[in-house]
Amino acid sequence: MLKIDNIHTYYGHIHALKGISLEVEQGEIISLIGANGAGKSTTLLSISGLEKPRTGTITFNGEDLTKLSPEKIVNLGITQAPEGRRIFPNLTILENLELGAFLRNDKKQIKKDIEFMYGLFPILGQRRNQLGGTLSGGEQQMLTISRALMMEPKLLLLDEPSLGLAPIIVQQIFDIIKKMNDEYNITVFLVEQNANQALKISDRGYVLQNGVITLTDTGENLLKNDEVRRAYLGV
């Protein structure tokens, strides 16, 4: 579904991604793990078209993304739930979800999908008229994921969904990600510092260090890898 081939992305003179290559197959959960500053978010921004690689290619179902604008990339079916949540704080939960479907015109299905989100995250349904800015961090993360899903994505990009959340909420978020994949066949590319939780639910994972992919394997095998255990699992 997604193929990144030898991309180099820069911020001015800073060489953030140094020739990384990876693939995501339809129906998979793929994790990209690494320390702060490794280039994880830059990878997602490169896919989304918000940071254009200087060289290399990114293709989605055979179409070259590197020449497309971010809005055209969204139209192809790639949606990102950004780091830091970035909901609309002065709008209600319902209004945030409606904005997530701003490219759609199937009003009846949009209403059904909003009810589906309330089923996926019941707390959002209970507080549908509450302003987004008054929600807890975990509730805002649920809203961020739901808003992204309202675009009916073929590929969902998740950037640090567990960042700053209490452990019990982190577990809920990862359970929902796994449920989305298992029950609704949503393909997920997950960027995450919480390597333990991410790899537990992933089909495969990639380790990114200083803009370079240094290791790739199944999620299960990476959890057992001594290097990963020392660097990212605190073992």
Side-chain angles (χ1 to χ4, degrees):
M1 176 180 274
L2 179 76
K3 183 175 182 180
I4 297 176
D5 187 17
N6 194 33
I7 64 167
H8 292 257
T9 303
Y10 291 76
Y11 294 106
H13 296 297
I14 299 173
H15 196 175
L17 298 179
K18 305 168 184 175
I20 74 166
S21 297
L22 58 84
E23 295 184 359
V24 180
E25 300 289 346
Q26 185 170 352
E28 286 187 312
I29 298 178
I30 300 298
S31 288
L32 182 65
I33 65 171
N36 268 334
K40 303 187 303 298
S41 293
T42 303
T43 302
L44 294 189
L45 293 175
S46 298
I47 296 168
S48 298
L50 296 169
E51 293 293 338
K52 293 294 185 182
R54 197 170 291 181
T55 60
T57 59
I58 303 173
T59 55
F60 179 67
N61 289 330
E63 183 154 0
D64 187 356
L65 302 184
T66 53
K67 297 179 174 62
L68 299 181
S69 64
E71 54 266 35
K72 288 184 178 179
I73 291 172
V74 170
N75 275 320
L76 288 177
I78 299 177
T79 306
Q80 181 167 338
E83 180 182 356
R85 300 183 268 280
R86 300 187 193 180
I87 61 164
F88 296 99
N90 296 321
L91 299 181
T92 65
I93 287 173
L94 174 59
E95 290 166 337
N96 269 273
L97 293 177
E98 289 172 337
L99 275 175
F102 76 101
L103 288 178
R104 299 170 54 186
N105 53 25
D106 50 339
K107 292 184 179 181
K108 287 185 179 180
Q109 188 59 45
I110 288 172
K111 288 183 178 180
K112 289 181 181 179
D113 288 347
I114 288 173
E115 291 302 318
F116 171 78
M117 298 308 159
Y118 293 156
L120 203 57
F121 298 102
I123 191 68
L124 300 184
Q126 296 166 19
R127 302 184 181 185
R128 64 188 67 190
N129 295 315
Q130 187 171 328
L131 294 179
T134 65
L135 301 175
S136 69
E139 291 160 355
Q140 288 187 19
Q141 187 61 66
M142 294 173 191
L143 180 56
T144 300
I145 294 173
S146 297
R147 184 182 62 185
L149 288 173
M150 287 300 298
M151 291 297 296
E152 298 183 307
K154 297 174 184 174
L155 174 63
L156 178 63
L157 308 178
L158 295 178
D159 194 354
E160 302 283 7
S162 75
L163 188 66
L165 302 183
I168 190 170
I169 302 299
V170 169
Q171 187 61 57
Q172 290 178 18
I173 293 294
F174 279 99
D175 287 346
I176 289 292
I177 295 170
K178 183 64 173 167
K179 180 178 180 179
M180 290 188 308
N181 178 257
D182 286 344
E183 298 185 16
Y184 308 109
N185 200 34
I186 295 172
T187 305
V188 178
F189 185 37
L190 171 65
V191 157
E192 184 56 67
Q193 281 194 67
N194 189 332
N196 184 48
Q197 290 284 5
L199 293 174
K200 279 181 179 178
I201 66 168
S202 295
D203 297 288
R204 294 184 296 111
Y206 293 86
V207 178
L208 186 64
Q209 294 181 348
N210 298 319
V212 177
I213 299 288
T214 58
L215 190 62
T216 180
D217 208 329
T218 65
E220 183 180 4
N221 286 343
L222 287 174
L223 280 170
K224 300 173 183 176
N225 182 281
D226 288 340
E227 180 182 345
V228 172
R229 287 163 64 81
R230 284 194 302 269
Y232 304 109
L233 304 182
V235 178

